[in-house]
Amino acid sequence: MDRVYFKLSSAQPERTANLLISRGVPVSDLRIRDASLSFFVPVAWRERVRRTPGAIVEREREKGIFKTLRSTKWRFMLYIGLIAALSALVFISMTIWSIEVHGADSVPPERIIADLRDLGVHIFSPFWKIENRRLQNELLLREPSLRWVTLNLKGTKLFVLVREEIPAPEIIEPSPEPIRARRFGIITSAVALEGNSAVKPGDTVLSGDELIVPSERGTLGKVTARTFYEISAEMPVLCKLKLRESSEKTLTSLIIGEKRINFYNSNRHSAAEYDTIECTMPLPFLPLRIERATVREYETADFEPDAESAANILKSRLAYTLCRNMVEGSVVSERFTVSQEGGLIRVTLFAECRENIGESYDRRNDNR
């Protein structure tokens, strides 16, 4: 309901306020300052306030929705636009604007989203179309590798949480082919579960030599040997060192659902050397996100690192490479050599390991 704001001047403002209240005038937000008082009353009480004895009206202002409508002179296009905007806001708040899949590993998230699309759930789908139990069962039937599925709604975003089936342990069956050496080594132990061992501790074998020959049931076993590695790595003596930041600019994007609108030139990587710091700010109650990327360009200069520091970096890389090359083994001893020539620092690793060198090759795999 519309209200009228009055400001009255009076020699006795407290007495004037008591007079208005005693007459039954519904006064609200009453304030008394010096020789004046201000308050709000409904429009229907306007004339009674004007006739208040001993008070002079200094200011009179009407507020309310009908006052606003009269001031716009009933511009229907404005009202239609307002109604359309409110309707669009209601539509946006009741539909899905993005879908995220979490927990999928062997099954691509794109395939799960495609399955949901076939089941009638996609971008701009209304919330009441999401039948959680039915969609769970349909997804489990379509993707046998999934063990558990659930769908959660948060605002206008649909989260699909999945758990994949835990595979059963692999059953190792005897192979009809002999077990051969993967690499050079000195045998330390040979255990033949199926077949007959062709080597004994202390024997030296080369890559491809037979370790366990098949019997009627095939070959199965484990052969451990001492193996030797020589691995090298190098890096340049001169490296690039970041000096200082030369300039900075902010790139802003608006993300609507799965669409992106960039408010900058698409060539955001024009600088050769730069750092990027990204920050995403979602807007409340709307499927909109503002992404700000701060690009800081910097200058570089040639820098010669300490030889010991560079060698330590290469040593850690070589140790990681050695662990990746071993199969079911451990390092017995290792030794590093460091050399520098031609603008490069070279580190060589000499290692002795103990590992399983047996490798079986089943020709039946070729026919699959």
Side-chain angles (χ1 to χ4, degrees), residues 96-203:
I96 300 172
W97 277 72
S98 63
I99 301 175
E100 290 187 7
V101 180
H102 296 273
D105 188 15
S106 60
V107 180
E110 294 79 10
R111 197 163 77 190
I112 297 177
I113 294 176
D115 292 339
L116 287 174
R117 190 182 301 113
D118 294 340
L119 296 173
V121 177
H122 49 79
I123 304 299
F124 302 132
S125 293
F127 292 165
W128 55 84
K129 276 194 173 184
I130 301 177
E131 302 174 16
N132 208 329
R133 184 62 60 86
R134 180 183 69 85
L135 293 174
Q136 289 176 8
N137 296 333
E138 292 286 350
L139 287 175
L140 291 175
L141 290 175
R142 286 171 174 257
E143 304 293 343
S145 59
L146 298 182
R147 187 163 56 97
W148 176 80
V149 179
T150 188
L151 291 87
N152 293 334
L153 269 172
K154 185 177 181 181
T156 58
K157 182 177 292 186
L158 176 64
F159 293 92
V160 183
L161 307 179
V162 302
R163 294 294 182 269
E164 298 182 354
E165 185 178 4
I166 300 176
E170 181 182 0
I171 299 177
I172 302 176
E173 297 181 355
S175 171
E177 296 294 327
I179 296 179
R180 302 180 182 272
R182 183 184 297 106
R183 59 181 295 110
F184 165 80
I186 301 174
I187 305 299
T188 58
S189 68
V191 179
L193 301 177
E194 296 290 348
N196 301 312
S197 176
V199 294
K200 61 183 182 300
D203 291 348

Side-chain angles (χ1 to χ4, degrees), residues 243-307:
L243 292 180
R244 61 182 180 277
E245 297 174 357
S246 58
S247 63
E248 178 181 315
K249 58 182 178 181
T250 302
L251 309 177
T252 305
S253 303
L254 177 63
I255 302 175
I256 306 175
E258 297 180 349
K259 302 296 183 181
R260 172 189 291 269
I261 302 176
N262 296 329
F263 299 101
Y264 56 87
N265 192 332
S266 59
N267 186 14
R268 61 180 291 182
H269 305 306
S270 57
E273 306 289 348
Y274 60 90
D275 292 330
T276 303
I277 303 174
E278 294 186 352
C279 177
T280 302
M281 180 181 66
L283 298 181
F285 310 110
L286 293 176
L288 306 177
R289 291 177 295 162
I290 297 177
E291 183 181 275
R292 296 182 181 273
T294 303
V295 179
R296 297 175 180 174
E297 302 176 10
Y298 59 84
E299 298 177 357
T300 59
D302 292 336
F303 169 71
E304 184 174 353
D306 179 60

Side-chain angles (χ1 to χ4, degrees), residues 350-363:
F350 299 92
E352 177 184 344
C353 305
R354 184 164 296 169
E355 60 178 313
N356 178 21
I357 64 170
E359 183 178 36
S360 62
Y361 176 71
D362 191 351
R363 290 181 180 175

Side-chain angles (χ1 to χ4, degrees), residues 12 16 21 30 33 49-50 88 90 100 116 141 175 178 191 223 279 286 291 295 310 312 332:
Q12 297 178 335
T16 302
I21 295 173
L30 177 63
R33 293 181 180 177
V49 173
R50 289 176 178 174
V90 172
E100 290 187 7
L116 287 174
L141 290 175
S175 171
V191 179
V223 179
C279 177
L286 293 176
E291 183 181 275
V295 179
N312 290 335
V332 177

